[in-house]
Amino acid sequence: MLTSNSKEKERSLSFLCCWYLGRRRFAMLLLLSLAFVVFILGSYTINKESNSPIIHQSIETMDFVSNQTPLSRELSSFYTENSNDDGIRGSDVDIIHPPPSHHHPCDSFSFPPPPPPGLRRPGPRPCPVCYLSPEEALAHMPKHPFESPVLMNLTYVHEESPVKREEEGQGGSEFGGYPSLKDRTNSFDIKESMTVHCGFVKGTKPGHQTGFEIDEDILPELDQFHDVIVASAIFGKYDIIQEPVNISEMARNNIPFYMFIDEETHSYLKNTSRYSDDNKRVGLWTIIVVHNVPYTDARRNGKIPKLLLHRLFPNVRYSIWLDAKLQLVVDPYQILERFLWRTNSSIAMSRHYRRFDVFVEAEANKAARKYDNASIDYQVEFYKKEGLTPYTDAKLPITSDVPEGCTIIREHIPITNLFTCVWFNEVDRFTSRDQLSFAIARDKIREKVDWSINMFLDCERRNFVKQVYHRDVLMNMKPPRASSSSRVLPEPLTLPRGKAGGGRAAGGKKIPGQRGKRRHRKVSAGGRNMR
């Protein structure tokens, strides 16, 4: 009887165990099924939200928190899924261009998906841009000029002996003609015909007896007609001439490239093998030497060809301006088609990749000691009294008050000529930091006429130009340390990051036959394994 009771107990326990395990297995299957359903529903919700108008964070906004700012909305617009507007979303124009009557090859272009949220990127990077071929781009050049609103005839002040009268509120320089505050106000009163200060107030023509002298044999070339030119400038031997690349044969034959330099830069350039006074060329660039520059500040002298290019080349239709620190890597016809002709714009430039508020930009300039702080404060306070306010959503569709400014793509028509004239007058009157005066010049014109600037994403600018270091930075760079076999390392020059460890060449490679000096310092566990 004892034996039979034990067997019955064993059978009961076995039954209970099987029943329990079966119930547990069923519960696990049930939980897994529920988890799978939740995962599917969550994925659907995320995909649905990603296709909604909510703006996503982009590469350029990962380094700072700005989820609800106008900057994050516009910078991340090129990562909105299913976008087919080639990244123009959020530019300064309500209607980018009229509905096309035919299919554009770039209509189906869309940006790639954003990188994983945890991926850190060291600073701004270029983003994709859809270009037509140079031949196709040239075929899209408008047959007629962009219509200049209201303003049809623009002439410029000429005065052989300008005098500065402080009691009349005059400012600026002799080169700019010392415009008074009344003159400044009148320059923003848009009419059909206007006469404004725009530099070169003396002399018979720009470049001749104006305080910005150009050699006599070059002056006739400036008067020639060109559909497109590319221009840049180096003053104070501050930069190294960068040769454009990826330029089509058609552009090489039809688009002149002009580089303005002062006498100091000319003296330096003559000692290099790239330049000869006989042909006055460096690669594609035609060198134009400027004598008797009006300012002691080389940066301010550079603003003359940058902003007053229409005065130096009165018979040019389109121009692309590049700061000398930039190397052009895309054909000019492709750039014009993408940023002017396709968007039906008369002027285009990129907005700053991080700052969009003038007051924030002013503080950044002061912190970086870009200019005398008292002068920056005076300029900002002056603009405050004129009604300039910090950037908010109320300024939409304007997306930024701060341009990058190192590239300007424009058509030379009266309204864009007026804009760059009054912008130069602000630079002449106040500081040479043109980012601070851009918004006030633009807004005062927009108050009078229906006109906009295509301010595209800065990552798009980085697509067609490659930024290099200024010459003084390049000269101070430490060259890579060679090994004992004198092998030249293929890596490009980098900014100095301190001395390498003893017994190691640049890049951390150990030099054969040498032993590094032992350093008595604590290292982490991971550091001990990095040999």
Side-chain angles (χ1 to χ4, degrees):
M1 291 179 61
L2 291 173
T3 303
S4 62
N5 288 337
S6 299
K7 289 181 178 179
E8 288 178 0
K9 288 181 179 180
E10 288 178 0
R11 289 171 187 169
S12 300
L13 289 174
S14 299
F15 173 77
L16 289 173
C17 288
C18 292
W19 177 82
Y20 175 74
L21 291 175
R23 290 287 300 272
R24 187 174 182 181
R25 190 175 296 122
F26 175 76
M28 290 296 294
L29 290 174
L30 182 62
L31 287 175
L32 288 174
S33 300
L34 290 174
F36 180 74
V37 171
V38 171
F39 175 76
I40 294 298
L41 291 175
S43 300
Y44 173 77
T45 304
I46 292 173
N47 288 333
K48 184 177 180 181
E49 290 178 353
S50 66
N51 290 325
S52 68
I54 298 176
I55 304 301
H56 311 286
Q57 190 179 29
S58 70
I59 291 175
E60 295 182 354
T61 57
M62 286 182 181
D63 292 335
F64 53 97
V65 178
S66 55
N67 291 334
Q68 299 300 322
T69 64
L71 179 63
S72 67
R73 285 201 302 271
E74 65 180 89
L75 286 182
S76 56
S77 63
F78 67 89
Y79 275 124
T80 302
E81 293 187 11
N82 299 324
S83 172
N84 62 355
D85 56 6
D86 197 14
I88 309 172
R89 188 191 311 254
S91 58
D92 265 11
V93 237
D94 287 311
I95 300 175
I96 301 300
H97 54 79
S101 58
H102 60 281
H103 175 73
H104 191 281
C106 290
D107 284 346
S108 59
F109 174 81
S110 61
F111 288 105
L119 180 63
R120 287 184 57 84
R121 297 180 64 90
R125 288 292 183 269
C127 55
V129 175
C130 181
Y131 300 108
L132 301 183
S133 69
E135 293 75 16
E136 290 176 313
L138 180 59
H140 283 72
M141 179 186 289
K143 295 180 180 180
H144 305 287
F146 187 92
E147 184 177 354
S148 179
V150 181
L151 179 61
M152 299 298 169
N153 182 35
L154 183 65
T155 55
Y156 311 105
V157 171
H158 175 265
E159 187 177 357
E160 284 299 329
S161 301
V163 179
K164 184 176 183 179
R165 300 179 179 86
E166 295 291 348
E167 66 275 8
E168 294 183 6
Q170 288 184 325
S173 65
E174 184 178 20
F175 175 78
Y178 301 117
S180 65
L181 291 177
K182 182 179 180 181
D183 294 329
R184 180 178 179 273
T185 300
N186 292 338
S187 67
F188 295 117
D189 186 15
I190 313 298
K191 301 176 181 177
E192 184 175 350
S193 295
M194 297 177 64
T195 299
V196 298
H197 287 79
C198 195
F200 303 106
V201 295
K202 299 190 297 181
T204 56
K205 62 183 302 183
H208 181 67
Q209 299 179 349
T210 60
F212 191 86
E213 312 301 327
I214 295 174
D215 294 335
E216 293 287 340
D217 58 334
I218 298 294
L219 289 176
E221 184 173 348
L222 304 187
D223 288 330
Q224 294 179 7
F225 173 81
H226 295 287
D227 278 321
V228 182
I229 66 168
V230 178
S232 187
I234 300 175
F235 291 95
K237 60 178 183 180
Y238 199 65
D239 291 288
I240 297 174
I241 295 178
Q242 303 297 321
E243 180 66 10
V245 296
N246 303 323
I247 308 302
S248 66
E249 194 64 28
M250 180 176 59
R252 289 173 178 268
N253 294 332
N254 295 287
I255 299 179
F257 290 69
Y258 294 105
M259 176 68 70
F260 292 87
I261 64 173
D262 58 1
E263 292 177 342
E264 182 181 4
T265 306
H266 184 225
S267 299
Y268 168 77
L269 195 61
K270 285 192 297 185
N271 295 325
T272 67
S273 59
R274 300 178 62 195
Y275 174 78
S276 170
D277 273 328
D278 295 334
N279 59 14
K280 294 183 172 61
R281 295 183 68 87
V282 173
L284 283 178
W285 295 102
T286 296
I287 305 301
I288 300 179
V289 182
V290 180
H291 311 279
N292 191 29
V293 290
Y295 304 108
T296 57
D297 180 7
R299 292 182 182 272
R300 198 185 292 270
N301 287 320
K303 298 299 186 292
I304 296 173
K306 176 178 180 177
L307 300 178
L308 306 184
L309 206 57
H310 62 283
R311 297 219 60 190
L312 291 163
F313 297 94
N315 298 311
V316 163
R317 188 175 179 190
Y318 297 98
S319 68
I320 299 176
W321 169 266
L322 307 170
D323 281 4
K325 65 182 178 180
L326 303 177
Q327 180 188 28
L328 189 66
V329 296
V330 172
D331 190 86
Y333 288 125
Q334 295 176 296
I335 296 171
L336 286 164
E337 190 281 329
R338 169 60 186 85
F339 297 104
L340 284 193
W341 306 336
R342 194 186 308 175
T343 62
N344 195 29
S345 304
S346 60
I347 185 169
M349 64 188 75
S350 66
R351 46 189 178 256
H352 198 280
Y353 76 95
R354 177 171 297 180
R355 294 185 289 275
F356 54 92
D357 184 281
V358 174
F359 302 98
V360 176
E361 175 68 17
E363 292 303 315
N365 275 254
K366 290 164 61 177
R369 300 185 181 275
K370 295 290 185 69
Y371 208 86
D372 173 63
N373 287 2
S375 299
I376 292 177
D377 288 337
Y378 174 78
Q379 181 176 4
V380 171
E381 289 301 319
F382 186 93
Y383 290 161
K384 279 184 180 179
K385 294 176 181 178
E386 289 204 325
L388 182 66
T389 58
Y391 185 88
T392 64
D393 286 346
K395 293 190 176 184
L396 292 173
I398 292 174
T399 53
S400 177
D401 284 346
V402 182
E404 178 55 41
C406 54
T407 61
I408 301 177
I409 309 163
R410 56 181 288 215
E411 182 177 3
H412 293 200
I413 58 174
I415 193 66
T416 62
N417 295 344
L418 173 66
F419 167 69
T420 53
C421 283
V422 297
W423 191 7
F424 173 81
N425 291 341
E426 297 299 295
V427 171
D428 188 44
R429 177 183 291 271
F430 299 105
T431 69
S432 62
R433 308 305 299 176
D434 52 21
Q435 295 95 331
L436 302 181
S437 50
F438 166 83
I440 200 76
R442 176 200 62 192
D443 292 351
K444 284 186 172 294
I445 293 178
R446 283 174 53 88
E447 289 175 2
K448 301 290 184 178
V449 296
D450 182 16
W451 172 77
S452 294
I453 296 174
N454 178 16
M455 296 188 72
F456 52 89
L457 295 170
D458 189 60
C459 67
E460 295 178 292
R461 174 190 66 84
R462 293 173 185 271
N463 181 284
F464 66 83
V465 291
K466 179 182 177 182
Q467 187 162 323
V468 297
Y469 292 109
H470 288 301
R471 180 176 175 272
D472 57 345
V473 177
L474 288 171
M475 297 300 291
N476 290 328
M477 281 185 177
K478 184 183 296 184
R481 189 180 301 174
S483 66
S484 59
S485 60
S486 300
R487 180 172 60 89
V488 178
L489 297 177
E491 289 83 10
L493 294 177
T494 57
L495 285 174
R497 298 179 181 275
K499 296 181 179 180
R504 292 181 181 270
K509 295 183 179 180
K510 194 170 183 178
I511 302 175
Q514 294 187 10
R515 296 183 60 186
K517 296 180 179 179
R518 185 181 300 274
R519 295 186 178 182
H520 299 282
R521 58 185 179 88
K522 293 183 179 179
V523 294
S524 63
R528 295 189 185 99
N529 296 325
M530 296 179 63
R531 293 288 183 183

